[in-house]
Coordinates of all heavy atoms in Angstrom, one line a residue:
P352 N -0.7 -4.3 3.9 CA -1.9 -4.6 3.0 C -3.0 -5.4 3.9 O -4.0 -5.7 3.4 CB -1.3 -5.2 2.0 CG -0.3 -6.2 2.5 CD 0.3 -5.3 3.6
T353 N -2.6 -5.9 5.0 CA -3.4 -6.9 5.5 C -4.8 -6.6 6.1 O -5.8 -7.4 6.1 CB -2.7 -7.9 6.6 OG1 -2.4 -6.9 7.7 CG2 -1.3 -8.3 6.1
H354 N -4.9 -5.4 6.4 CA -6.2 -4.8 7.0 C -7.2 -4.9 5.8 O -8.5 -5.1 6.0 CB -6.1 -3.4 7.7 CG -5.4 -3.4 8.9 ND1 -5.3 -4.5 9.7 CD2 -4.6 -2.5 9.4 CE1 -4.6 -4.2 10.9 NE2 -4.2 -3.0 10.7
A355 N -6.8 -4.6 4.7 CA -7.7 -4.5 3.5 C -7.9 -6.0 2.9 O -9.0 -6.4 2.7 CB -7.1 -3.6 2.4
L356 N -6.8 -6.6 2.6 CA -6.7 -7.9 2.1 C -7.5 -9.0 3.0 O -8.1 -9.9 2.6 CB -5.4 -8.4 1.6 CG -4.7 -7.7 0.5 CD1 -3.4 -8.0 0.3 CD2 -5.6 -8.2 -0.8
G357 N -7.1 -8.8 4.3 CA -7.7 -9.8 5.2 C -9.1 -9.8 5.3 O -9.8 -10.9 5.5
G358 N -9.7 -8.7 5.2 CA -11.2 -8.5 5.2 C -11.9 -9.2 4.0 O -12.9 -9.8 4.2
I359 N -11.3 -9.0 2.9 CA -11.7 -9.6 1.6 C -11.5 -11.2 1.7 O -12.5 -11.9 1.5 CB -11.0 -9.0 0.4 CG1 -11.5 -7.6 0.2 CG2 -11.5 -9.8 -0.9 CD1 -10.7 -6.9 -0.8
L360 N -10.4 -11.5 1.8 CA -9.9 -13.0 1.7 C -10.5 -13.8 2.9 O -10.5 -15.0 2.8 CB -8.4 -13.1 1.4 CG -7.9 -12.5 0.2 CD1 -6.5 -12.5 0.1 CD2 -8.6 -13.0 -1.0
G361 N -10.6 -13.1 3.9 CA -11.2 -13.9 5.2 C -12.5 -14.3 5.0 O -13.1 -15.2 5.7
A362 N -13.2 -13.7 3.9 CA -14.7 -14.2 3.6 C -14.7 -14.9 2.3 O -15.3 -16.0 2.2 CB -15.6 -12.9 3.6
W363 N -14.0 -14.4 1.3 CA -14.1 -15.0 0.0 C -12.9 -16.1 -0.1 O -11.7 -15.8 0.0 CB -13.7 -13.9 -1.1 CG -14.0 -14.3 -2.5 CD1 -14.2 -15.5 -2.9 CD2 -13.9 -13.5 -3.5 NE1 -14.3 -15.5 -4.4 CE2 -14.1 -14.3 -4.8 CE3 -13.5 -12.0 -3.8 CZ2 -14.1 -13.6 -6.1 CZ3 -13.6 -11.5 -5.1 CH2 -13.8 -12.3 -6.2
Q364 N -13.3 -17.2 -0.4 CA -12.2 -18.4 -0.3 C -11.6 -18.4 -1.7 O -11.7 -19.3 -2.6 CB -13.0 -19.7 -0.1 CG -13.7 -19.7 1.1 CD -12.9 -19.4 2.4 OE1 -11.9 -20.0 2.6 NE2 -13.3 -18.4 3.1
T365 N -10.7 -17.4 -1.8 CA -9.8 -17.3 -3.0 C -8.6 -16.6 -2.6 O -8.2 -16.5 -1.4 CB -10.5 -16.4 -4.0 OG1 -9.8 -16.5 -5.4 CG2 -10.6 -15.0 -3.7
H366 N -7.6 -16.3 -3.6 CA -6.4 -15.7 -3.3 C -6.0 -14.9 -4.6 O -6.6 -15.2 -5.7 CB -5.2 -16.7 -2.9 CG -5.0 -17.6 -4.0 ND1 -5.5 -18.8 -4.1 CD2 -4.0 -17.6 -5.0 CE1 -5.1 -19.6 -5.1 NE2 -4.0 -18.9 -5.6
A367 N -5.1 -14.0 -4.5 CA -4.6 -13.2 -5.6 C -3.7 -13.8 -6.5 O -2.8 -14.5 -6.1 CB -4.0 -11.8 -5.1
V368 N -3.8 -13.8 -7.8 CA -2.8 -14.3 -8.7 C -2.1 -13.3 -9.5 O -0.9 -13.6 -10.1 CB -3.5 -15.3 -9.7 CG1 -4.1 -16.5 -8.8 CG2 -4.6 -14.7 -10.5
S369 N -2.7 -12.1 -9.7 CA -1.8 -11.0 -10.4 C -2.4 -9.7 -9.8 O -3.4 -9.6 -9.2 CB -2.0 -11.1 -11.8 OG -3.3 -10.7 -12.3
V370 N -1.6 -8.6 -10.0 CA -2.0 -7.3 -9.6 C -1.4 -6.2 -10.5 O -0.3 -6.4 -11.1 CB -1.5 -7.0 -8.2 CG1 0.1 -7.2 -8.1 CG2 -1.9 -5.7 -7.5
S371 N -2.1 -5.1 -10.5 CA -1.6 -3.8 -11.1 C -2.0 -2.7 -10.1 O -3.1 -2.6 -9.6 CB -2.4 -3.5 -12.5 OG -2.0 -2.3 -12.9
A372 N -1.1 -2.0 -9.8 CA -1.2 -1.0 -8.7 C -0.7 0.4 -9.1 O 0.3 0.6 -9.9 CB -0.5 -1.4 -7.4
I373 N -1.3 1.4 -8.5 CA -0.8 2.9 -8.7 C -0.6 3.5 -7.4 O -1.5 3.3 -6.4 CB -1.9 3.7 -9.5 CG1 -2.2 3.0 -10.8 CG2 -1.6 5.1 -9.5 CD1 -1.0 3.1 -11.8
G374 N 0.5 4.2 -7.2 CA 0.8 4.9 -6.0 C 0.7 6.4 -6.3 O 0.9 6.9 -7.4
V375 N 0.3 7.1 -5.3 CA 0.2 8.6 -5.4 C 1.3 9.2 -4.5 O 1.3 9.1 -3.3 CB -1.2 9.1 -4.8 CG1 -1.3 10.5 -4.9 CG2 -2.4 8.3 -5.7
A376 N 2.2 10.0 -5.3 CA 3.2 10.6 -4.6 C 2.6 11.7 -3.6 O 1.8 12.5 -3.9 CB 4.2 11.3 -5.4
D377 N 3.2 11.9 -2.3 CA 2.8 12.8 -1.4 C 3.2 14.2 -1.8 O 4.2 14.4 -2.4 CB 3.3 12.4 0.0 CG 2.6 13.1 1.1 OD1 1.3 13.1 1.2 OD2 3.3 13.8 2.0
D378 N 2.4 15.2 -1.4 CA 2.7 16.6 -1.7 C 2.6 17.5 -0.5 O 2.6 18.7 -0.6 CB 1.8 17.1 -2.8 CG 0.4 17.2 -2.4 OD1 0.0 16.7 -1.3 OD2 -0.4 17.7 -3.2
R379 N 2.6 16.8 0.9 CA 2.4 17.6 2.0 C 3.7 18.6 2.2 O 3.7 19.5 2.8 CB 2.2 16.8 3.2 CG 2.2 17.5 4.5 CD 1.0 18.4 4.8 NE -0.3 17.5 5.0 CZ -0.7 17.1 6.0 NH1 0.0 17.3 7.2 NH2 -1.8 16.3 6.1
G380 N 4.9 18.0 2.0 CA 6.0 18.7 2.1 C 6.6 18.9 3.6 O 7.2 19.9 3.9
D381 N 6.3 17.9 4.5 CA 6.6 18.1 5.8 C 7.7 17.0 6.2 O 7.9 16.8 7.3 CB 5.4 17.9 6.7 CG 4.8 16.5 6.6 OD1 5.2 15.6 5.8 OD2 3.9 16.3 7.5
G382 N 8.3 16.3 5.2 CA 9.4 15.4 5.5 C 8.9 14.1 5.7 O 9.9 13.2 5.8
V383 N 7.7 13.9 5.7 CA 7.2 12.6 5.8 C 6.7 12.1 4.4 O 6.2 13.0 3.6 CB 5.9 12.4 6.7 CG1 5.4 11.0 6.7 CG2 6.2 12.8 8.1
F384 N 7.0 11.0 4.0 CA 6.8 10.4 2.6 C 7.8 11.3 1.6 O 7.4 11.7 0.6 CB 5.4 10.5 2.1 CG 4.5 9.7 2.9 CD1 3.5 10.2 3.7 CD2 4.6 8.3 2.8 CE1 2.7 9.5 4.5 CE2 3.7 7.5 3.6 CZ 2.7 8.1 4.4
D385 N 9.0 11.5 2.1 CA 10.0 12.3 1.3 C 11.1 11.3 1.0 O 11.7 10.6 2.1 CB 10.5 13.4 2.2 CG 11.7 14.3 1.4 OD1 12.3 13.7 0.6 OD2 11.7 15.4 1.7
K386 N 11.4 11.0 -0.2 CA 12.3 9.9 -0.6 C 13.7 10.1 0.1 O 14.4 9.2 0.4 CB 12.4 9.8 -2.2 CG 11.4 9.1 -2.8 CD 11.7 8.8 -4.2 CE 10.7 8.0 -5.0 NZ 10.9 7.8 -6.4
D387 N 14.1 11.3 0.1 CA 15.4 11.7 0.8 C 15.4 11.5 2.3 O 16.5 11.4 2.8 CB 15.7 13.1 0.5 CG 15.9 13.3 -1.0 OD1 16.3 12.5 -1.8 OD2 15.7 14.5 -1.5
V388 N 14.2 11.4 3.0 CA 14.2 11.2 4.4 C 13.8 9.7 4.7 O 14.3 9.1 5.7 CB 13.2 12.2 5.1 CG1 13.0 11.9 6.5 CG2 13.6 13.6 4.8
S389 N 13.0 9.2 3.9 CA 12.5 7.9 4.1 C 13.5 6.7 4.1 O 14.3 6.6 3.2 CB 11.4 7.5 3.0 OG 11.0 6.2 3.1
M390 N 13.5 5.9 5.1 CA 14.3 4.7 5.1 C 14.0 3.7 4.1 O 14.8 2.7 3.9 CB 14.5 4.1 6.5 CG 13.1 3.5 7.0 SD 13.2 2.7 8.7 CE 14.2 1.1 8.2
F391 N 12.7 3.9 3.5 CA 12.2 3.0 2.5 C 12.4 3.6 1.1 O 11.8 3.0 0.1 CB 10.8 2.7 2.8 CG 10.5 2.2 4.2 CD1 10.0 3.1 5.1 CD2 11.0 1.0 4.7 CE1 9.8 2.8 6.4 CE2 10.7 0.5 6.1 CZ 10.2 1.5 6.9
A392 N 12.9 4.8 1.0 CA 12.9 5.6 -0.3 C 11.5 5.7 -0.9 O 11.4 5.5 -2.0 CB 13.9 4.9 -1.3

């Protein structure tokens, strides 16, 4: 996350206190971002 967060927080003198996030499941089907292949599930 640091390329995105570092650019914001590197200028704005604040920090995050809570978060809500949404992930988009991949649909390429080439074995990348596949839960059964991924070492990170």
Side-chain angles (χ1 to χ4, degrees):
T353 63
H354 292 333
L356 284 168
I359 294 171
L360 299 178
W363 188 358
Q364 303 305 305
T365 189
H366 61 273
V368 297
S369 71
V370 63
S371 176
I373 299 295
V375 179
D377 195 52
D378 63 357
R379 176 72 70 88
D381 64 356
V383 176
F384 300 113
D385 182 329
K386 281 188 176 181
D387 294 332
V388 176
S389 170
M390 65 177 288
F391 313 101

